[in-house]
Amino acid sequence: MSDSTAAGKHTLLLTLIMVGMVLGALVGGFSQTEIAIIALLGDLFLNALKMMIVPLIVSSIINGVTSMGDIRKLGKLGAVTAGYYITTTVLAVTIGIVAVNVIQPGAGVDAGAASAPSVGDYSFLDVVRGMIPSNLFSAMANGDILPLIFFALFFGVVMSTLGDRVKVLREAVDGVFLVSMTMVRIIIAAAPVGVFALVATRIGAAGGFDAFGRELSATGWYVVTVLAGLAVHSILILGTLAFFGSGKTPIRVMALLAEPLLLSFSTGSSSATLPVTMKSVQENLGVDQRVSSFVLPLGATVNMDGTALYEAVAAVFVAQCYGIELSFPTQLVIVLTATLAAIGAAGIPQAGLVTMVMVLQTAGLPVEGIGMILAVDWFLDRCRTTVNVWGDAVGTLVIQRILRFG
Ligand code: ASP
């Protein structure tokens, strides 16, 4: 296929995905309820994406590690990746803290009626403990990405020390990777219908435009604060980094990543989007597979700039609603725990709401406060997930540039 035909097909697909999104919003907005057949289409599409996570990340990580050449490169890659994740996450939290202190969305809001919803328990130590799987297959079955990454890295490193004795295995893994990528390409062709169905179902389930409008106006300034923070972080910080990493304008990079960005908004899940992020980063941005196969799966679970920013804004918002003054040290505690909460949140819809409990508890704030942000969370979740995926993809460009891979 010539370059111009490929570009033409890409543009057509993106246009159809956007049309799907708008139509989905309209159908969900006016139907005000979930329509079973449309919900089924959305589930089928989402399942197909999730189905690809295990074969794709395992084969791509093993492949990436074994083609590293010198295994010491992996150490450097790990160090630079960790540096990128931590720096951008802390910057995101800081932007959130500044935004919520300047805009003061909770000033004058009465927290009296809030009651604690049950969102489950969360412990950061459990996340760390789960990093090494006791049973590989149950990690796969549960879609736990971190233990899979650990296993695949370990497997790949050992495999690369065994040379020609495992040649056949290396070729087999390469084959699995190639087939998986091709399957992802086929699944993406269904994205216009999938996105339509997911958006229609979600907005319908939220009660359509009327109910959504009421929820938005009830929490208006809080929503504005989160969105403003996300916009500043995405454009100023990540946009500059995208330019540094690629030499292209941020708008151009965003356009090349439009598929994963639109999908992250439609699915609310970094993990479900991961196969598409991998494909776009490698094929549209030309990122070296050794970098993307390491940075993206890890990023989908631990690097969440949007979630970190949201956690900080939400915690301070809750304090403002309850009229609790936050001292500087307490705000620092929020910065730290929001960072940990984002690292610990899984790349699935509204995982950040669960890890919020830890932020509120550590900062000594009322957990019932979650009740105040619950109604609009599905919408903010979509927005922060898009920023999470944008941060991961930009990371591959920056890290590749720093390490001069490729
Ligand atoms: N839904 C987000 C993600 O998958 C996590 C969250 O903030 O809830 O990236």
Side-chain angles (χ1 to χ4, degrees):
M1 199 175 354
S2 76
D3 273 4
S4 63
T5 341
K9 277 198 169 167
H10 185 235
T11 318
L12 175 67
L13 180 65
L14 282 183
T15 315
L16 289 176
I17 295 178
M18 282 192 265
V19 170
M21 203 173 235
V22 174
L23 282 181
L26 290 175
V27 169
F30 290 114
S31 68
Q32 306 192 340
T33 174
E34 226 184 86
I35 301 172
I37 180 80
I38 297 184
L40 174 70
L41 284 177
D43 285 343
L44 289 176
F45 178 64
L46 201 57
N47 286 351
L49 284 174
K50 290 191 195 158
M51 168 181 87
M52 296 314 301
I53 295 177
V54 173
L56 192 65
I57 60 173
V58 173
S59 66
S60 109
I61 292 178
I62 297 178
N63 215 348
V65 173
T66 48
S67 52
M68 202 67 80
D70 180 353
I71 208 69
R72 271 170 302 185
K73 274 193 186 161
L74 186 63
K76 265 200 197 154
L77 180 57
V80 175
T81 305
Y84 172 84
Y85 289 169
I86 292 173
T87 316
T88 49
T89 305
V90 171
L91 281 172
V93 176
T94 312
I95 290 174
I97 291 274
V98 171
V100 72
N101 279 297
V102 171
I103 302 179
Q104 302 263 348
V109 177
D110 179 16
S115 63
S118 113
V119 288
D121 259 342
Y122 169 78
S123 149
F124 190 71
L125 288 183
D126 287 341
V127 176
V128 179
R129 190 170 296 120
M131 266 165 66
I132 300 187
S134 62
N135 181 329
L136 183 62
F137 293 96
S138 81
M140 287 184 181
N142 295 330
D144 291 338
I145 294 186
L146 277 186
L148 280 187
I149 296 176
F150 175 83
F151 174 81
L153 281 175
F154 194 6
F155 194 94
V157 169
V158 173
M159 194 165 134
S160 61
T161 63
L162 295 175
D164 270 356
R165 279 188 288 165
V166 288
K167 188 163 161 268
V168 178
L169 186 58
R170 194 170 311 127
E171 280 167 7
V173 174
D174 205 24
V176 173
F177 177 65
L178 189 66
V179 174
S180 305
M181 272 298 207
T182 313
M183 287 171 79
V184 171
R185 207 168 300 140
I186 296 168
I187 294 170
I188 294 181
V193 178
V195 164
F196 160 79
L198 289 170
V199 172
T201 306
R202 187 55 261 203
I203 298 187
F209 289 141
D210 276 358
F212 183 42
R214 276 195 303 277
E215 281 160 12
L216 277 188
S217 59
T219 36
W221 284 108
Y222 162 67
V223 173
V224 169
T225 310
V226 175
L227 293 185
L230 290 177
V232 169
H233 184 70
S234 302
I235 296 167
L236 277 186
I237 308 285
L238 296 176
T240 310
L241 288 172
F243 178 71
F244 164 79
S246 66
K248 296 184 177 72
T249 62
I251 299 282
R252 177 91 195 109
V253 181
M254 269 186 200
L256 291 168
L257 291 171
E259 283 163 10
L261 295 179
L262 291 170
L263 274 183
S264 51
F265 186 83
S266 312
T267 60
S269 165
S270 310
S271 301
T273 312
L274 179 59
V276 182
T277 318
M278 281 206 158
K279 181 198 150 282
S280 296
V281 160
Q282 281 176 35
E283 293 181 1
N284 301 353
L285 295 176
V287 170
D288 192 297
Q289 197 231 323
R290 289 170 296 178
V291 174
S292 59
S293 69
F294 180 74
V295 175
L296 291 177
L298 205 55
T301 41
V302 306
N303 182 46
M304 298 194 178
D305 295 5
T307 302
L309 188 148
Y310 139 85
E311 304 263 351
V313 172
V316 178
F317 171 70
V318 167
Q320 289 171 352
C321 292
Y322 283 87
I324 302 170
E325 275 297 318
L326 291 176
S327 62
F328 185 65
T330 314
Q331 301 230 14
L332 276 186
V333 168
I334 293 180
V335 170
L336 187 73
T337 48
T339 306
L340 290 180
I343 294 174
I348 55 174
Q350 298 191 287
L353 196 66
V354 180
T355 59
M356 243 337 268
V357 175
M358 176 189 77
V359 180
L360 293 174
Q361 275 173 349
T362 319
L365 294 169
V367 177
E368 306 80 76
I370 290 193
M372 314 205 44
I373 55 172
L374 198 62
V376 281
D377 194 69
W378 69 269
F379 173 68
L380 292 180
D381 179 40
R382 311 276 159 141
C383 302
R384 64 186 188 249
T385 307
T386 312
V387 178
N388 292 345
V389 170
W390 172 231
D392 295 340
V394 168
T396 61
L397 292 169
V398 172
I399 293 161
Q400 162 154 289
R401 164 92 201 263
I402 293 177
L403 290 176
R404 296 179 206 289
F405 261 92

